[in-house]
Amino acid sequence: MRRSKKKVAYSRAPLSASSDHAVIHHRGRSRSRCNLKRVLFAIFIIIALLYKIAIERILSHADTRVDANDGNKARKTDLKRSQNSDINDMVIVAKDKGYGTKGAVAIIASVPDNKERLLALWSQLECFYANDRYDEIIVSAPAWAKEENVIEPFLRNAVSRIPHLNSTSVILQYHLNDRYDVGLWCDALDSRTVNDQPVKGKYNEFVLSNDSIMAVEEHFTGILDELRQRNLTMSSLNFSFLDGYWLESTMRGFSRKGINTYTNQACVPVSHERWCPGLNITNKTEADLKKRCIVDNFEIGIASLFPRHEMWGLFPSDVPVDMIKEEFLLDGKTWVKHYRFWLHVLRWNMKFPAMKVTNEMFLNKVRNKSFSKRVGPVFETCTKYLDSSFLIPMEERMRNIGTRIKKPKRNTA
């Protein structure tokens, strides 16, 4: 029994030479196949990495070229795109015979999607630019406004009724409007209205405003006055000390030096990191982040480019601590969301010349009859030459304007 066990155990151990060779050959082929797969996989990984590196270098090189030229190539690309898509259209509504003698231009970013914005535009033409200091007043509007045919007849009516507008050139331009008010200002500054020279290279002083504010004080010229008298590079209607000293963008003035600094920083394509392109503005949280991004980069960020002594804001934006009601969300920390601060401090005590038309709470209180009895008319102050019946057919067209067009949300801070 012991021998049989040994024989059995012994008979299982050895293999013949031929079978041993077959096993080795099989194992060799298996190893060769595995090695081949590994080599092919390694080659694939290397190719993928090289492709990724090449793409990153191309993109990095493109970004470097844009930054190195201070955004000039990007702006040229945007302008070329606008011209090719029939966007950079221009309508000379009124032409000044004494063109080129005053040295200043005003650019109003206008998105005429409701009656209040049209009233704001009219009021600025009647009161903010009611002087002979501007060679041109450029109204920069989105391309869809041309199809809606609202703003051109509105401006022609304004030119025919507001007396001082016959002494300046009023020009309407249509642009892509993919970068909020900043884009409308930048596109107008890069445009050529009379000769081959861009607007930003023709003048010594520039005033940029938008239609989120309505003029409520006649003959207001403070922005340009401060710019000249204090020899500033930038002036503004409002200043803030929240997050450092900076100037709000609803109405700002720039010298030639100031506007060059501004365009180099602000006039970048919508894909640029300063626009925080990854945020989805249809989501409220991300829309708020986008709004904050714009304030940080195009208001606070712009102010950081200038020495403190070269900037001046005319009126405070920040609400005093004792007036802030934390329990009421509508009572914010700046004038745009604090009705009492706007009325009692800015308007009554300081003759603040503007009212926010994008704040529904403001509008409802100002429209109240008791407000007019106590304070006096506000809407009527800078719309004396406006025939309200002229707006009726326009109101009908604007009522459903949001359902007919797709436009980027604005920064109405």
Side-chain angles (χ1 to χ4, degrees), residues 36-46:
L36 180 61
K37 289 180 179 179
R38 288 172 183 171
V39 170
L40 291 175
F41 182 75
I43 292 172
F44 175 79
I45 293 297
I46 292 171

Side-chain angles (χ1 to χ4, degrees), residues 56 78 156 176:
E56 288 177 350
D78 285 351
R156 292 193 181 280
L176 184 61

Side-chain angles (χ1 to χ4, degrees), residues 171-359:
I171 297 171
L172 170 62
Q173 295 181 352
Y174 297 104
H175 296 289
L176 184 61
N177 190 31
D178 59 349
R179 294 163 294 161
Y180 306 84
D181 295 331
V182 177
L184 292 176
W185 289 323
C186 287
D187 289 340
L189 287 166
D190 276 330
S191 69
R192 293 163 171 78
T193 54
V194 176
N195 51 39
D196 291 335
Q197 192 176 12
V199 169
K200 66 183 179 184
K202 287 191 295 186
Y203 298 103
N204 296 320
E205 293 146 337
F206 306 79
V207 176
L208 313 181
S209 63
N210 64 35
D211 60 1
S212 71
I213 56 171
M214 182 176 188
V216 294
E217 190 74 21
E218 293 182 294
H219 306 293
F220 174 74
T221 59
I223 300 295
L224 209 53
D225 291 341
E226 294 295 330
L227 199 65
R228 292 177 175 178
Q229 293 170 10
R230 296 178 183 271
N231 194 28
L232 303 170
T233 53
M234 180 169 67
S235 61
S236 175
L237 193 62
N238 290 90
F239 65 90
S240 174
F241 283 104
L242 300 176
D243 299 309
Y245 182 82
W246 55 282
L247 307 182
E248 288 190 0
S249 64
T250 50
M251 190 175 189
R252 288 182 295 195
F254 295 91
S255 65
R256 173 74 71 88
K257 173 187 172 183
I259 206 66
N260 288 333
T261 302
Y262 173 79
T263 54
N264 288 339
Q265 174 75 9
C267 299
V268 294
V270 70
S271 58
H272 196 281
E273 62 181 0
R274 293 190 194 118
W275 286 108
C276 303
L279 295 175
N280 176 18
I281 60 174
T282 59
N283 178 281
K284 187 181 186 304
T285 301
E286 293 194 33
D288 290 339
L289 291 174
K290 183 81 168 183
K291 187 176 181 180
R292 184 67 211 182
C293 171
I294 294 171
V295 173
D296 286 342
N297 292 327
F298 300 99
E299 291 185 291
I300 299 175
I302 295 297
S304 68
L305 302 175
F306 301 101
R308 175 67 179 81
H309 66 276
E310 293 184 8
M311 299 185 298
W312 187 263
L314 280 70
F315 300 92
S317 176
D318 307 337
V319 180
V321 176
D322 60 344
M323 293 187 71
I324 296 176
K325 288 183 178 180
E326 295 290 353
E327 66 271 23
F328 293 109
L329 295 178
L330 289 177
D331 282 344
K333 295 182 179 181
T334 65
W335 75 275
V336 299
K337 290 187 177 181
H338 203 293
Y339 172 78
R340 291 181 301 114
F341 176 67
W342 169 77
L343 179 62
H344 295 279
V345 178
L346 293 179
R347 186 75 193 113
W348 282 355
N349 294 341
M350 299 182 178
K351 296 294 182 183
F352 185 61
M355 179 185 70
K356 198 75 172 176
V357 299
T358 55
N359 190 320

Side-chain angles (χ1 to χ4, degrees), residues 345-403:
V345 178
L346 293 179
R347 186 75 193 113
W348 282 355
N349 294 341
M350 299 182 178
K351 296 294 182 183
F352 185 61
M355 179 185 70
K356 198 75 172 176
V357 299
T358 55
N359 190 320
E360 195 64 28
M361 181 191 68
F362 269 42
L363 295 177
N364 290 337
K365 290 193 174 184
V366 172
R367 290 187 186 112
N368 193 295
K369 292 182 180 180
S370 62
F371 177 91
S372 297
K373 290 179 181 178
R374 289 188 303 112
V375 182
V378 172
F379 280 102
E380 295 83 358
T381 303
C382 292
T383 56
K384 293 179 179 178
Y385 298 104
L386 174 63
D387 181 2
S388 58
S389 64
F390 178 74
L391 291 177
I392 295 176
M394 292 187 173
E395 285 186 78
E396 290 295 325
R397 288 204 296 274
M398 289 186 294
R399 187 161 291 136
N400 298 315
I401 201 170
T403 60

